[in-house]
Amino acid sequence: MARIVQKFGGTSVADVERIKHVALRVKREVDAGHQVVVVVSAMAGTTNRLVEWTGQTSRLHDAREYDTVVASGEQVTAGLTALALQDLGIAARSWLGWQIPIRTDDVHGKARIESIATAEIKQRLSEGQVAVVAGFQGIGPDGRITTLGRGGSDTSAVAMAAELGAERCDVFTDVDGIYTTDPRIVAKARKLDRIAFEEMLEMASQGARVLETRSVAMAMNNRVRLQVLSSFTDTPGTLVVDEDEIVENRVVSGIAYSRDEAKITVEGVADRPGVAAALFGPLADDAINVDMIVQNVSADGATTDMTFTIARADLDRALAVLQRQRAALGFRALKPDSNVVKISVIGVGMRSHAGVAQLMFKTLAERGINIQVISTSEIKVSVLIAADYTELALRALHTAYGLDQTE
Ligand code: ADP
Ligand code: ASP
Ligand code: MG
């Protein structure tokens, strides 16, 4: 007998029929004698609609009320899933974040889990009850509902698995595993049997939304056995494992893309010590994360251009912050561009292989795709290109790195 966590994403609980189907999947584990915790997302499309409504009602909305609204989708699916299980003769009870409680910090809209009380749930599991937990939500220090950031039910599931010492955390979604790149864009994407935690962490943080970034970090730190699989088929999924559990010798494991990017070029700033600090300090003070940075060589020896990227949602705020600093920074002009995409090739094999970046640059050059900004880490190379070339670049790189599926 084992204790397991099963997480079902939005498409898996998109309507009542699918929720009944989820209940049947849970029943299989209960029948096998396991203790089961189910974590559910809101029905597909629901959270987007709730986010839209808050924006339409109040443009600069209060983050606490945003959480009150957007957390509601998971309340519905938790209740319905418990009902569907009860109808199959299984003792089941729904749990909202505050009822467990899942305690978080006070960063409404993107809260971090700080602790989870498990005594009551453990007791009920031992009595044969299934716990259906509403994902994505917790309770903050102010006693109000918080949400964990988009895609956050993955984190709820991994956190429950870690806290309960679960044997597995199965994440059921609308694809049957983790692929070399988004299978909805590249038809030749290949399903991986295994991927290393570090690779998945980079993939997630560079835009592959199949697992939320924090959930991967949490699984890695707490040694949670994490698996991604489809709720619609019975095919084996992808296991996220330690690097040394991967036998296949590959340099690049996957390619991710993120459309959530915006670029700002600051033209004509003074080329002297302290300028970068003066430019990026105020952005950091305003909690705006700067990702890629490039400083052009100075043509006249006195001034230069600085280009950097931020999350698209921060663009207006970043421009306002920089305008306020204009006198201090003395730049000539600000050039924003949100028609960009960041493409990243990722693989732990890069540590020991040269030439990965060069193949990326060459492949894009052959397609006439201009690279605007580059950044690298030990296991990743990222480039910023015009968004119009997203599909072309992904397909070309996928082929160039030998990732295409062979029929
Ligand atoms: P859920 O609602 O189940 O959490 P998500 O939409 O958050 O589902 O995540 C699943 C989606 O992630 C897939 O439909 C797929 O389009 C996308 N995706 C992006 N990159 C990858 C990848 N490398 N492997 C698998 N899916 C990916
Ligand atoms: N429902 C939330 C969202 O759409 C959380 C999740 O699905 O993981 O972001
Ligand atoms: Mg998701």
Side-chain angles (χ1 to χ4, degrees), residues 24 89 125 160 197 276-277 280 298 349 371 380:
L24 285 170
L125 289 173
M160 289 301 293
F197 276 116
F280 296 121
S298 173
I371 298 172
K380 173 202 84 185

Side-chain angles (χ1 to χ4, degrees), residues 303-339:
T303 65
T304 181
D305 296 346
M306 193 88 97
T307 298
F308 59 90
T309 66
I310 51 175
R312 196 174 290 189
D314 291 339
L315 181 59
D316 289 345
R317 224 152 39 90
L319 291 171
V321 168
L322 294 175
Q323 283 299 358
R324 277 202 298 275
Q325 302 290 325
R326 184 164 194 164
L329 291 166
F331 54 80
R332 193 168 59 240
L334 288 178
K335 293 272 164 69
D337 180 3
S338 47
N339 186 36

Side-chain angles (χ1 to χ4, degrees), residues 154-195:
D154 294 335
T155 306
S156 308
V158 172
M160 289 301 293
E163 204 59 45
L164 290 164
E167 191 152 301
R168 309 197 309 262
C169 181
D170 290 345
V171 173
F172 292 90
T173 183
D174 56 357
V175 285
D176 59 358
I178 298 163
Y179 281 69
T180 44
T181 192
D182 190 342
R184 298 193 189 286
I185 297 211
V186 179
K188 288 179 179 163
R190 191 157 46 86
K191 188 167 92 187
L192 300 164
D193 296 332
R194 285 160 183 249
I195 186 166

Side-chain angles (χ1 to χ4, degrees), residues 7 41 151 154 173 209-212:
K7 182 257 168 176
S41 291
D154 294 335
T173 183
R209 68 175 194 282
V210 60
L211 284 175
E212 201 260 343

